[in-house]
Amino acid sequence: MTARVWCDRRSTPQSADHISVVCIVFRSPLWCPVNPPTTPSAAGLRDLLSREVKTSELLRALIVVGPMVAAYFILRETALLNLGLVAVSLLIPALRQHFPPKVVAWHYLAILVTFAALFLAAPVKPLFVVLTALAGFLAVAGTRYGEHFRTLGNWVFIPAVYLACEVREGVSAEEAIRHAGVIVASSPIALALVCAIQTYDQRLRGNAATSLGPPAADWFLPAAATAMAVFAAAALVEIFNLAQGQWVMWSAASVVVGDLTASTGKLKQRAIGAFVGAPLGFLTGLALPQSRVGYAIAILAATLTLISFSRYVVGFGLRCFFIALAASFAGGASGIAEERIVNVLIGGTFGLIAVALTEIVRLRVMRKTRSPG
């Protein structure tokens, strides 16, 4: 016979309102059933994933980045993996602002021109530092003509700076030129894929008018703060020949998002993501053998984190995880977690200092304008 549960409820002396339940298990008719423990439902897991993962953007990113990974497997050309960054950099502003293919094409040209300028200037370190700071300034200064230019500017600055540093990292000048040539020559494929997605989406939703938002009244000081932060970061990278210097430069620009409080919050999110994600990726890589397939999949996953997650800290943490994991698969994981963490903190600190300096300037100007003649 099945065991039954009877529940006896009695008031305790301490409080008449407090009820204690004494359950006695015995083989008798059922008085009070006790349900078995339940596990989290599949519906709850689906709700969590729907909140955290941008499914539509993820699928579109797979369409534009996936062919680059497939081509890498066939041709064994590492430059094709870097091309995935160009593709997703075109896709992110296009999806957020509903850009038509014509605007996507102009964005594509801006990335290529900026990348070419930084790549060619890289051997002349002072010139590279100045041009990188100028690129950071222009990425924000565009908000003078529409606040959404910030998104567009960021996704010109990020791929241009990243690729200009990445293709020269640890290779000869001849190999770097060949690598850059492959990226530029094959980049129309990325443009075509993004334009195809935008054309398809426009047919579904209709030809909505493209808006870059209202002009930003206060655009100069954020642009100046970004330029100062990037200049300091690039100078540090070039003086000390820091490995993976693009992380320092982009971290410096990334935290310039408003006032000092907002910028500090952004740096905290990046620091949490780096402190958690990079060591976990490194430790996971230690347990796995070196693998070209694993390396390609980790690079693909790292690229997809740029667009696939609702919360920045989750996306950035997973990006750090997959970057460290990719380095492990490639056999170069030694120090990668430490580099990622240190570079994020150094660059973010430059960004905070630049924001603080520009806020001091802002307050002084406000005092002068308010003081009587």
Side-chain angles (χ1 to χ4, degrees):
M1 183 181 294
T2 304
R4 304 291 183 176
V5 178
W6 172 79
C7 301
D8 177 27
R9 299 181 179 178
R10 311 174 201 167
S11 299
T12 61
Q14 290 81 2
S15 170
D17 295 328
H18 180 74
I19 303 297
S20 65
V21 180
V22 179
C23 297
I24 305 172
V25 181
F26 63 103
R27 299 178 184 277
S28 67
L30 176 65
W31 282 60
C32 177
V34 174
N35 295 326
T38 60
T39 58
S41 65
L45 179 60
R46 285 197 300 270
D47 289 341
L48 176 63
L49 291 176
S50 66
R51 289 195 304 269
E52 295 292 343
V53 180
K54 300 177 181 178
T55 307
S56 176
E57 287 85 347
L58 174 60
L59 291 175
R60 284 160 172 76
L62 276 171
I63 292 171
V64 301
V65 181
M68 318 301 174
V69 177
Y72 165 76
F73 282 124
I74 296 170
L75 302 175
R76 297 177 177 267
E77 176 54 67
T78 307
L80 295 173
L81 290 178
N82 286 330
L83 183 60
L85 178 60
V86 176
V88 81
S89 297
L90 291 172
L91 183 65
I92 291 172
L95 291 180
R96 291 179 182 175
Q97 311 304 331
H98 306 299
F99 288 152
K102 181 179 179 180
V103 177
V104 176
W106 283 110
H107 180 198
Y108 163 78
L109 289 176
I111 291 175
L112 288 191
V113 169
T114 308
F115 164 60
L118 296 178
F119 176 78
L120 295 174
V124 185
K125 293 186 176 183
L127 179 61
F128 176 79
V129 170
V130 171
L131 287 181
T132 305
L134 177 61
F137 177 85
L138 294 176
V140 182
T143 57
R144 180 182 182 183
Y145 305 100
E147 60 184 11
H148 296 323
F149 262 111
R150 178 65 188 264
T151 300
L152 195 61
N154 283 347
W155 292 104
V156 171
F157 181 84
I158 293 171
V161 171
Y162 184 91
L163 293 177
C165 295
E166 179 73 13
V167 298
R168 289 185 175 275
E169 187 88 20
V171 299
S172 65
E174 292 77 11
E175 177 61 18
I177 292 172
R178 189 198 68 80
H179 194 137
V182 172
I183 292 174
V184 173
S186 55
S187 60
I189 300 172
L191 174 63
L193 289 169
V194 175
C195 287
I197 286 176
Q198 288 304 97
T199 301
Y200 173 78
D201 285 348
Q202 282 187 338
R203 289 178 180 175
L204 290 180
R205 65 172 180 263
N207 291 322
T210 300
S211 173
L212 290 170
D218 185 14
W219 63 271
F220 181 78
L221 287 180
T226 303
M228 286 190 294
V230 172
F231 181 90
L236 184 75
V237 168
E238 295 301 321
I239 290 171
F240 294 100
N241 293 315
L242 297 183
Q244 305 297 332
Q246 64 271 19
W247 296 345
V248 184
M249 298 176 216
W250 170 236
S251 292
S254 176
V255 302
V256 183
V257 292
D259 59 16
L260 191 58
T261 301
S263 296
T264 303
K266 182 68 174 291
L267 179 57
K268 286 180 181 178
Q269 292 185 65
R270 292 178 65 83
I272 291 170
F275 271 108
V276 174
L280 283 178
F282 172 71
L283 293 175
T284 303
L286 289 179
L288 299 172
Q290 295 183 22
S291 166
R292 191 169 70 92
V293 174
Y295 173 76
I297 293 175
I299 291 295
L300 171 63
T303 304
L304 294 177
T305 61
L306 291 166
I307 190 175
S308 302
F309 294 94
S310 300
R311 288 192 294 169
Y312 182 85
V313 66
V314 174
F316 187 74
L318 286 172
R319 185 151 60 254
C320 293
F321 172 86
F322 285 118
I323 287 172
L325 183 60
S328 297
F329 281 131
S334 178
I336 191 72
E338 294 88 344
E339 283 178 2
R340 184 69 169 179
I341 294 169
V342 170
N343 289 349
V344 165
L345 294 178
I346 292 175
T349 300
F350 283 136
L352 289 185
I353 293 172
V355 171
L357 291 175
T358 54
E359 284 205 355
I360 292 172
V361 172
R362 188 201 310 272
L363 291 174
R364 288 186 176 180
V365 170
M366 291 175 62
R367 289 194 194 101
K368 288 183 178 180
T369 55
R370 290 176 181 174
S371 61

